[in-house]
Amino acid sequence: MKENILETLKNLNFTEYEAKAYLTLLEESPLTGYAVAKNSGVPRSRIYEILDSLAMRGDILVSPGNTPQYTPVPAKELIKNRRMKAEENFELAEKSLAEFERSANDRENIWNIMGRNEILDKVKACILSAKKRILLEIWEDEFEVLESELRQAANRGVNVTIIAYGEIVCDFANVYLHYMGYEITEEYGGRWLVISGDDSEVVAGIVSLGKDSRAAWTMHVGLVMPITEVMIHDLYLMEIMEEHKELLEESFGVNLAKLRKKFSIHPDYKKHYVD
């Protein structure tokens, strides 16, 4: 009978020595550590370590004094405490595993977002979750909506770098004014927004179509990597233009117009993504 109870206690996360000490105290208490060791068969060299472990876990109580005495928490209370702890652990496991599963799925999925406000809300979430770096391509209109969140990110130590189309001025970010922001607005017939957060998630899409605006959000490395690197290469180009604009325009026309025409597939040399 006692062996069965010992096995039951082991299933409740007791070691063999802890189970023997607890059962001994259930049979008779209070007892000194010496008496618990003598009655339970737990080695005297281990008994105080075992009793301290039980006390820290709340399975027994200690009466302090020159010779401490020990008494067990009643069996019903012990079971109640174990059940509550188990339920807490199951709830935590359920929540944590669901979050992990969702995170793992998010890394493989590409999510469609419709509507300008909805896109900007997702961008705000991306800004709030960033811990190291934000890369952002943006027009003035959308910057005004996101400025507060971007400032908060900078204040908590996130490096914020903005490729700006139009006159964006701020004191908390590295701002690169695109050398042909206004021309691009005319040429593309719309505004886009691209954000890369910590090189681990991106939101990219068209934001100038009101409710018909559309964007994609993903953590899929197959898109996060190339989109982030395209933004970095834009920064390279702007640094190069800053240093060598006259030389480059001599070869490729004002604002590199010859290059844009060279790689256009439309006779009017405009983009038609939103037609």
Side-chain angles (χ1 to χ4, degrees):
M1 178 67 176
K2 192 171 184 178
E3 290 302 317
N4 291 338
I5 298 175
L6 285 173
E7 288 302 314
T8 298
L9 287 174
K10 287 181 185 179
N11 291 335
L12 294 178
N13 205 31
F14 282 75
T15 67
E16 183 173 352
Y17 284 165
E18 288 173 344
K20 286 181 176 180
Y22 180 76
L23 281 181
T24 295
L25 288 169
L26 276 184
E27 291 174 334
E28 181 184 354
S29 65
L31 292 175
T32 64
Y34 172 81
V36 175
K38 181 180 178 182
N39 296 351
S40 66
V42 175
R44 287 179 60 187
S45 61
R46 297 287 311 280
I47 192 60
Y48 291 103
E49 170 194 342
I50 298 302
L51 292 170
D52 286 346
S53 175
L54 290 170
M56 288 181 63
R57 208 162 59 208
D59 296 335
I60 65 173
L61 303 174
V62 186
S63 175
N66 293 332
T67 305
Q69 299 211 26
Y70 302 87
T71 190
V73 167
K76 285 187 177 181
E77 185 176 340
L78 176 83
I79 298 302
K80 178 182 177 182
N81 292 340
R82 281 292 198 280
R83 182 176 287 116
M84 289 176 59
K85 187 64 177 176
E87 289 176 354
E88 288 175 5
N89 287 336
F90 280 127
E91 289 177 6
L92 179 60
E94 183 178 38
K95 181 178 179 181
S96 299
L97 291 171
E99 288 293 332
F100 180 82
E101 184 178 35
R102 181 158 57 248
S103 175
N105 288 337
D106 285 344
R107 288 194 291 272
E108 297 301 321
N109 289 331
I110 302 167
W111 300 97
N112 186 48
I113 309 171
M114 295 294 296
R116 180 176 182 272
N117 292 336
E118 289 74 13
I119 294 169
L120 293 176
D121 284 344
K122 189 59 186 176
V123 172
K124 289 179 181 180
C126 183
I127 293 169
L128 290 173
S129 65
K131 294 179 174 60
K132 295 181 180 179
R133 180 174 75 172
I134 291 169
L135 296 177
L136 182 65
E137 289 201 15
I138 195 169
W139 266 259
E140 297 170 78
D141 307 62
E142 286 69 45
F143 174 77
E144 291 176 1
V145 179
L146 301 172
E147 183 174 3
S148 175
E149 285 77 13
L150 289 166
R151 184 180 295 276
Q152 291 174 32
N155 288 341
R156 65 176 184 268
V158 178
N159 178 285
V160 180
T161 297
I162 297 173
I163 300 168
Y165 296 88
E167 295 297 326
I168 293 176
V169 179
C170 68
D171 57 2
F172 57 82
N174 307 307
V175 179
Y176 290 77
L177 296 177
H178 201 284
Y179 57 91
M180 50 175 290
Y182 293 108
E183 290 86 348
I184 284 179
T185 304
E186 172 64 24
E187 189 172 315
Y188 282 76
R191 302 187 308 277
W192 67 76
L193 186 155
V194 185
I195 183 171
S196 171
D198 290 338
D199 296 357
S200 63
E201 67 174 316
V202 297
V203 180
I206 302 164
V207 290
S208 56
L209 303 178
K211 292 183 179 180
D212 292 326
S213 297
R214 65 207 69 153
W217 169 72
T218 189
M219 297 176 74
H220 195 302
V221 67
L223 286 177
V224 171
M225 182 180 71
I227 290 173
T228 301
E229 289 303 316
V230 165
M231 297 173 74
I232 291 172
H233 278 76
D234 273 351
L235 293 169
Y236 292 166
L237 181 57
M238 280 182 281
E239 291 272 9
I240 292 169
M241 282 292 289
E242 182 69 24
E243 293 294 325
H244 306 289
K245 184 175 182 180
E246 290 184 6
L247 178 61
L248 290 168
E249 289 189 338
E250 183 179 330
S251 298
F252 302 111
V254 176
N255 290 329
L256 313 185
K258 291 180 182 178
L259 285 179
R260 299 203 311 281
K261 290 181 179 180
K262 179 178 179 179
F263 293 104
S264 174
I265 62 172
H266 300 289
D268 60 4
Y269 301 117
K270 290 188 177 183
K271 311 296 181 179
H272 295 271
Y273 295 112
V274 298
D275 289 355

